[in-house]
């Protein structure tokens, strides 16, 4: 069977089963990666009967949900391969199990997200003697930008993970744990990979949940072989899995060039980089001078891609994707003159930039603001990162897309404030770090804002058959029908079409749905932020009798 993906290393050491078919795999790689390399693109079907498969590779979209070792609706991108792992892509129900009751404990500060911002904040807090819990849904710290490579420990992520390992006694680092929400009393409700619940009480909460991609709703984008740009990056970094044939990368924003350069370095055939933005003008280049390192990176990406002969098509957009046997036909439109041309490829990676992940901030009651230069809806904060909810801080991309350098600064600044409000005097080292961070952050944010304004994709009318909501298979025409019926608000549109009411609860499709109905309202979130087993917070079996009415 021909496959769209291949491993960078041929080493496989275990055998797994997918719908009864035996597949060779590498221990520790994601179940989704093992399936893709085996030529198994679909993890199930959507409500319209079309195949659905991995899209984001970060646990957000739920398109790779399947049954793994008897656990129903497990995400293949989060599941890890072990000997004799069994996967079923058909409908399944989870097995009953004995309730054990949620684990309950407390800390001084809970930091959610172990990327650059959260990791820096947790390290600074622990160094000042506070009890810190660092909660992250990944297996290793670093976030997306510093994600741990499958074969090496390098770069900024290696620095962060090394520091966190050295601080094990001071930081309770909970890996592979998702935050489902914050209670009114400030406690966090958590769930591990097995769906077991936990309750964590914290005097202060730091939200460093990073960014999400803005999906491209181009018609045909859900076909097997169509993934988000970030998904291709995760597959390459974490699993050592890359496209086996030509790949076309389309969208807007710096991530487009980061992924292209990563895949180029790994020997992939890049058919083209399709960028909706024009070449940076002098104003943008001048603003980037505030962050010389960022400018060097941007020049380096462009130079290496062009040297490798990769076509960079600016002011072009991906119009649609059509399946043609085992290949994809990507139609590209020139924004200047409307001309279109098509390219046949094996894989298409696309997204329209990044937006702040404000799920937990919104569920916790924090005020949200909207600024296109910051990625859209973001948590509003004061000068030290505190939100409208006392004791709750938002740092890094959660408060607006600003890049890794600004995120590192945010972590240190928020940590110093939390230390002071805990009745302690920040150390001389922390005070110096804060002073330097404040000056650096202004420069880097100025550069990030210029980049955002340059790379923002132009507003375009979506095609009727563009897929808005993958979970419920809702296309644009269904939303337009809702508008015709004067059901123009997001909630009314949801009721009429079920857009945003699937597994991901709208976290993936909200920007496109809001655009389709012409709404400018902030997204809303409620507990649980992720689907969770009903028994996750059930009392222990021996305690249930006491809860029953006499």
């Amino acid at each position: 069977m021909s496959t769209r993906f291949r491993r960078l290393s041929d080493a496989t050491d275990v055998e797994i089963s997918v719908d009864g078919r035996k597949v060779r795999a590498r221990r520790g790689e994601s179940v989704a990666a093992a399936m893709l390399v085996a030529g198994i693109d679909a993890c199930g079907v959507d409500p319209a009967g079309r195949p659905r498969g991995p899209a984001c590779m970060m646990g957000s979209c739920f398109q790779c949900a399947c049954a793994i070792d008897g656990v129903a609706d497990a995400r293949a991108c989060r599941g890890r391969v072990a000997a004799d792992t069994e996967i079923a892509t058909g409908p399944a129900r989870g097995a009953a199990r004995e309730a054990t009751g949620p684990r309950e404990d407390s800390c001084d500060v809970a930091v959610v997200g172990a990327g650059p911002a959260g990791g820096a904040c947790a390290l600074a807090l622990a160094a000042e003697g506070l009890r810190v819990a660092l909660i992250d849904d990944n297996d290793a710290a670093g976030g997306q930008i510093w994600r741990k490579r499958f074969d090496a420990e390098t770069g900024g992520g290696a620095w962060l993970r090394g520091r966190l390992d050295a601080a094990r006694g001071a930081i309770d680092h909970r890996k592979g744990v998702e935050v489902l929400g914050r209670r009114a009393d400030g406690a966090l409700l958590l769930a591990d990979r097995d769906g077991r619940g936990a309750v964590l009480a914290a005097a202060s909460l730091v939200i460093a949940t990073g960014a999400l991609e803005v999906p491209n709703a181009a018609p045909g984008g859900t076909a097997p072989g169509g993934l988000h740009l970030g998904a291709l990056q995760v597959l390459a970094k974490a699993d050592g899995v890359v496209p086996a044939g030509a790949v076309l990368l389309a969208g807007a924003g710096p991530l487009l060039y980061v992924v292209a350069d990563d895949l180029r370095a790994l020997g992939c055939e890049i058919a083209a980089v399709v960028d909706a933005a024009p070449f940076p003008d002098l104003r943008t280049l001048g603003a980037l001078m505030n962050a010389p390192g960022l400018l060097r990176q941007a020049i380096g990406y462009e130079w290496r891609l062009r040297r490798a002969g990769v076509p960079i098509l600016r002011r072009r957009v991906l119009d649609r994707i059509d399946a043609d046997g085992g290949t994809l036909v990507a139609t590209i439109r020139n924004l200047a003159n409307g001309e279109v041309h098509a390219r046949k490829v094996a894989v298409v990676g696309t997204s329209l930039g990044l937006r702040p992940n404000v799920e937990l901030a919104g569920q916790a009651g924090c005020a949200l603001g909207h600024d296109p230069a910051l990625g859209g809806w973001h948590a509003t904060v004061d000068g030290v990162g505190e939100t409208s909810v006392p004791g709750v801080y938002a740092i890094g991309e959660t408060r607006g897309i600003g890049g890794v350098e600004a995120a590192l600064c945010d972590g240190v600044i928020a940590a110093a404030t939390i230390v002071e409000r805990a009745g302690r005097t920040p150390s001389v080292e922390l005070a110096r770090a804060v002073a330097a961070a404040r000056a650096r952050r202004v420069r880097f944010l100025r550069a990030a804002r210029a980049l955002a304004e340059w790379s923002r994709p132009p507003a375009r009318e979506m095609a009727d058959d563009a897929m808005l909501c993958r979970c419920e298979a809702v296309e644009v025409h269904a939303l337009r029908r809702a508008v015709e019926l004067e059901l123009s608000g997001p909630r009314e549109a949801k009721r009429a079409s079920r857009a945003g009411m699937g597994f991901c609860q709208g976290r993936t499709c909200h920007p496109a749905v809001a655009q389709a109905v012409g709404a400018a309202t902030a997204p809303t979130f409620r507990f649980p932020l992720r689907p969770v087993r009903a028994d996750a917070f059930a009392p222990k079996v021996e305690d249930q009798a006491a809860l029953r009415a006499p």
Side-chain angles (χ1 to χ4, degrees), residues 37-38 43 87 154 198 274 293 350 418 460:
V37 172
C43 295
I87 299 106
T154 59
V274 180
T350 181
I418 294 169
R460 300 176 66 230

Side-chain angles (χ1 to χ4, degrees), residues 400-414:
I401 305 301
V404 63
E405 295 293 345
L408 290 168
C409 296
D410 289 347
V412 172
I413 294 169

Side-chain angles (χ1 to χ4, degrees), residues 385-409:
E386 190 171 25
T387 69
S388 61
V389 179
V392 177
Y393 300 78
I395 61 176
E397 313 289 49
T398 308
R399 60 183 286 185
I401 305 301
V404 63
E405 295 293 345
L408 290 168
C409 296

Side-chain angles (χ1 to χ4, degrees), residues 241-518:
V241 168
V242 297
V247 55
L248 182 128
L249 305 175
L255 181 62
L256 182 62
Y257 293 89
V258 174
V259 175
D261 192 52
D262 285 348
L263 295 181
R264 174 207 59 80
L266 295 172
C268 297
E269 178 190 349
I270 302 176
V273 173
V274 180
D275 189 352
F279 192 84
D281 56 20
L282 291 177
R283 178 175 170 274
T284 302
L285 293 173
L288 287 176
M289 292 300 293
N290 289 286
L294 197 61
L295 181 58
R296 284 195 298 272
Q297 282 184 342
I299 293 173
Y301 294 143
E302 177 102 11
W303 183 80
R304 287 189 294 270
L305 289 169
R306 290 196 178 278
R307 185 184 182 194
V310 175
I312 298 177
L313 310 178
R314 288 197 165 88
R315 294 284 293 157
R316 267 83 163 180
V317 293
L318 177 67
D319 233 21
R320 65 180 301 114
I321 302 172
D322 294 289
D324 181 14
T327 63
L328 299 176
V329 180
T331 301
I332 302 163
R333 181 177 296 275
N334 187 322
L335 291 175
N337 56 27
E339 292 181 353
V340 298
H341 74 276
R343 291 183 182 241
K344 279 195 172 185
V345 293
V347 173
V348 174
T350 181
S351 69
L352 299 178
L354 300 176
R355 59 190 171 97
N357 182 350
V358 295
E359 297 166 10
L360 179 56
Q363 187 275 331
C366 304
L368 303 179
H370 190 275
D371 185 342
L374 295 177
W377 292 104
H378 60 92
T380 58
V381 298
D382 60 15
V384 296
E386 190 171 25
T387 69
S388 61
V389 179
V392 177
Y393 300 78
I395 61 176
E397 313 289 49
T398 308
R399 60 183 286 185
I401 305 301
V404 63
E405 295 293 345
L408 290 168
C409 296
D410 289 347
V412 172
I413 294 169
T417 301
I418 294 169
V419 169
E420 289 178 346
R421 294 182 182 176
R424 303 177 181 227
T425 301
S427 65
V428 173
E429 292 81 2
L430 181 56
R432 287 174 178 167
V434 168
R438 289 188 184 281
R440 288 205 322 272
R441 189 181 194 282
V442 172
R443 296 197 306 272
F444 283 111
L445 198 59
R446 191 177 297 133
R449 182 176 285 274
L451 265 180
E453 291 174 351
W454 157 70
S455 63
R456 190 183 312 149
R460 300 176 66 230
E461 184 174 353
M462 291 182 284
D464 272 347
D465 58 344
M467 182 66 71
L468 288 183
C469 174
R470 286 177 178 247
C471 296
E472 295 295 316
V474 180
E475 296 180 343
V476 169
H477 63 80
L479 269 293
R480 287 183 174 148
R481 177 59 176 160
V483 173
E484 290 171 2
L485 295 173
E486 298 185 354
L487 302 174
S488 56
R491 291 186 179 180
E492 291 79 5
K494 281 185 177 183
R495 294 191 185 104
S497 65
R498 290 199 55 81
M501 297 180 71
F503 257 144
C504 91
Q505 289 295 291
R507 70 176 52 86
T508 302
C509 64
H510 177 269
V513 171
Q515 178 187 342
V517 299

